[in-house]
C-alpha cells in the first residue's frame, strides 16, 4: 500500500516547524496508538482466558494446539495481506478485518465454553488471527503513512507490548469457577472487552489514508508518488538513479529467502517456552504467577531498544546477532521448574531478546524491500517467525512435560551456541586474518 498524502510540512532554515499539518499528524498518530492499545488489551484479556480454559480442559497439549493454530493464522496472514492490500483501501481493509475478528473472537471463546471439538476451535483461532494480523499490518502501514519516523512506529509497538501485560495479568487473576473459567458478570465483561475493544479501530478507520497499489499509481501525480515513496523509505527513494518517464522500476523479491530461513529457524529453536509461557507457568507454579510473568515480559520489551543499540555497536553479522538473541530467549527457562522466580527472570530476558530480535529482523527486511513492497515484506517477516513458533509450540509438549522443560531448553541452547560459533568462524575469522592495509609514506 502507498499513501495519498499530498502535503508536506513547511520547512524554514532546515528546521521543521510545528504547524497545523504537524498537529494533525500528531493527533492522528495518537488516535492510532490509542486504538491499538485498546485492541491489544482486549485481545490479551480474552486470549488469556481462552488459554487457561484450554489448560483446565486438556492440559498443555490442548493449549499448545491453540497456540499453534494462532501462529498458523499469522503465517497465512502474509499472503492474505498482500492480496487484500492490492485491492482494497485502508478504510475497507481495517473495517473488514476488525469486523471479522469480532465475530471470530466471540465464536472461539463461546465454542470452547460450550464444549465444541478442539479441531473446530483451532480452525476458528486460525481464522481469527489471520484477520487480526491483516488488521495489524494495515495499522502499521497507516502509522507509517502518517509519520514515517522510527519514533512513531516504536511508540506504537511499545505501547501495544506494554498493555498486553495488563490484559494478560487481569485475565489470569480473575476468579475462576469449577470448570476453569470465570462465570457470571465477570464472563459477560470478558466477552464485552474481547469483542468491543476492536470498536475504536473501526471508528479510527474512517480517516485511513492507505490506498491500493494500483489505484495510487493511477491517480497520484509522479511527484507526489515519489515523495510518498521517499517518506516511507526514509528518503532513500526506489533506486537512487534517474529513470526516463517510459521506464518502470524493476520489481524484485520483497524479502530475502536467506533472512526468512534464518528468522524462522531462530523462532523454531528459541521461542517455544516463551510462546507457551501461560500454560507452562500455570502447570509449574499455578495461574496466579501468570500475571507476574506477563509483567516481566513487558518490562523486558521496554528495554529492547536499548539492547538493540548496544548490540548494534558491535557490528556483528545479522544472523549471528539473531542467534545470540535466541540464546538469551532460552537461558532463563533452564531454572523454571525449580522456582517461580526463575519464570519471571526467563520472561524478562525473553521480552528483551524476542522483541529485539523481531525489531532487528523487521528493520533489515524493510531496508531490503522495494518501496512499494514494505507492507508485504513486513507481513512475510512476521509470517515466517510465526511458522517457526507454531512448529515449536506443537513439538515441545510432544517431547517433554512442563516439569522437564529445562531438558529441551538445554538442547536448544546447545544447538544455538554451536550455530553461533560456526557463524562467527565463517564471518569473523577471515576478517581477523586479513593482512593490514599498508600506509602510504
Amino acid at each position: 500500500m502507498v499513501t495519498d498524502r499530498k502535503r508536506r510540512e513547511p520547512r524554514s532554515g532546515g528546521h521543521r516547524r510545528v504547524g497545523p499539518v504537524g498537529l494533525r499528524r500528531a493527533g492522528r498518530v495518537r488516535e492510532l496508538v490509542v486504538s491499538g492499545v485498546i485492541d491489544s488489551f482486549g485481545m490479551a484479556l480474552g486470549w488469556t482466558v481462552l488459554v487457561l480454559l484450554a489448560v483446565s480442559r486438556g492440559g498443555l497439549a490442548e493449549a499448545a494446539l491453540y497456540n499453534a493454530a494462532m501462529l498458523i493464522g499469522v503465517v497465512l496472514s502474509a499472503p492474505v495481506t498482500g492480496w487484500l492490500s492490492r485491492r482494497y483501501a485502508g478504510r475497507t481493509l481495517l473495517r473488514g478485518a476488525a469486523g471479522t475478528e469480532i465475530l471470530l473472537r466471540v465464536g472461539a471463546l463461546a465454542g470452547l465454553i460450550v464444549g465444541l471439538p478442539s479441531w473446530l476451535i483451532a480452525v476458528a483461532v486460525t481464522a481469527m488471527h489471520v484477520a487480526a494480523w491483516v488488521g495489524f499490518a494495515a495499522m502499521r502501514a497507516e502509522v507509517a503513512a502518517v509519520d514515517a519516523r522510527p519514533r512513531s512506529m516504536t511508540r506504537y509497538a511499545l505501547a501495544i507490548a506494554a498493555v498486553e501485560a495488563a490484559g494478560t495479568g487481569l485475565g489470569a487473576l480473575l476468579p475462576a469457577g469449577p470448570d476453569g473459567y470465570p462465570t457470571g458478570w465477570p464472563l459477560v465483561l470478558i466477552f464485552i472487552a474481547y469483542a468491543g475493544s476492536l470498536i475504536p479501530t473501526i471508528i479510527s478507520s474512517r480517516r485511513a489514508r492507505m490506498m491500493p497499489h494500483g489505484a495510487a499509481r493511477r491517480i497520484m501525480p509522479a511527484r507526489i508518488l515519489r515523495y510518498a515513496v521517499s517518506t516511507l523509505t526514509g528518503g532513500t527513494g526506489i533506486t537512487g538513479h534517474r529513470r526516463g518517464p517510459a521506464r518502470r522500476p524493476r520489481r524484485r523479491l520483497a524479502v530475502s529467502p536467506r533472512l526468512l530461513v534464518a528468522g524462522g529457524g531462530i523462532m523454531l529453536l528459541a521461542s517455544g517456552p516463551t510462546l507457551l509461557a501461560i500454560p507452562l507457568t500455570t502447570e509449574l507454579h499455578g495461574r496466579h504467577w501468570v500475571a507476574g510473568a506477563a509483567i516481566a515480559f513487558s518490562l523486558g520489551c521496554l528495554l529492547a531498544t536499548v539492547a538493540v543499540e548496544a548490540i548494534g555497536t558491535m557490528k556483528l553479522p545479522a544472523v549471528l546477532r539473531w542467534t545470540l538473541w535466541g540464546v538469551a530467549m532460552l537461558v532463563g527457562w533452564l531454572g523454571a521448574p525449580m522456582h517461580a522466580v526463575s519464570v519471571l527472570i526467563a520472561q524478562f530476558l525473553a521480552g528483551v531478546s524476542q522483541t529485539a530480535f523481531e525489531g532487528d529482523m523487521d528493520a533489515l527486511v524493510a531496508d531490503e524491500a522495494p518501496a512499494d513492497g514494505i507492507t508485504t515484506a513486513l507481513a512475510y517477516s512476521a509470517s515466517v517467525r510465526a511458522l517457526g513458533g507454531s512448529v515449536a509450540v506443537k513439538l515441545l509438549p510432544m517431547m517433554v512435560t512442563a516439569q522437564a522443560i529445562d531438558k529441551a531448553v538445554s538442547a536448544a541452547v546447545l544447538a544455538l551456541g554451536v550455530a553461533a560459533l560456526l557463524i562467527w568462524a565463517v564471518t569473523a575469522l577471515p576478517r581477523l586474518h586479513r593482512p593490514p592495509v599498508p600506509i602510504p609514506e
Side-chain angles (χ1 to χ4, degrees), residues 374-388:
I374 293 177
T375 302
T376 303
L378 290 174
Y380 273 97
S381 177
S383 174
V384 75
R385 291 195 300 265
L387 178 60

Side-chain angles (χ1 to χ4, degrees), residues 92-116:
T92 304
L93 194 58
L94 284 170
R95 287 180 176 175
T100 303
E101 190 182 354
I102 286 175
L103 297 177
L104 291 168
R105 284 186 183 186
V106 173
L109 184 55
L112 192 57
I113 290 174
V114 301
L116 292 181

Side-chain angles (χ1 to χ4, degrees), residues 58-132:
L60 181 61
E62 185 161 346
L65 172 64
Y66 300 148
N67 276 275
M70 171 194 71
L71 294 167
I72 290 172
V74 181
V75 173
L76 297 176
S77 71
V80 173
T81 299
W83 188 86
L84 292 175
S85 65
R86 290 191 296 270
R87 290 162 174 80
Y88 298 101
R91 180 181 306 178
T92 304
L93 194 58
L94 284 170
R95 287 180 176 175
T100 303
E101 190 182 354
I102 286 175
L103 297 177
L104 291 168
R105 284 186 183 186
V106 173
L109 184 55
L112 192 57
I113 290 174
V114 301
L116 292 181
S118 300
W119 67 266
L120 188 57
I121 303 299
V123 170
V125 168
T126 298
M128 177 177 72
H129 281 87
V130 170

Side-chain angles (χ1 to χ4, degrees), residues 361-379:
M361 181 176 176
D362 280 348
L364 189 56
V365 166
D367 183 61
E368 289 197 355
D372 63 346
I374 293 177
T375 302
T376 303
L378 290 174

Side-chain angles (χ1 to χ4, degrees), residues 10 174 223 227 300 375 378:
L174 286 173
R223 294 179 61 186
Y227 171 66
T375 302
L378 290 174

Side-chain angles (χ1 to χ4, degrees), residues 222 225-226 238-250:
L225 177 59
R226 285 197 299 269
I238 297 177
T239 61
H241 300 284
R242 290 186 179 272
R243 295 181 180 268
R247 295 186 63 183
R248 294 182 179 180
R250 186 178 61 182

Side-chain angles (χ1 to χ4, degrees), residues 5 308 373:
R5 179 175 55 203
V308 168

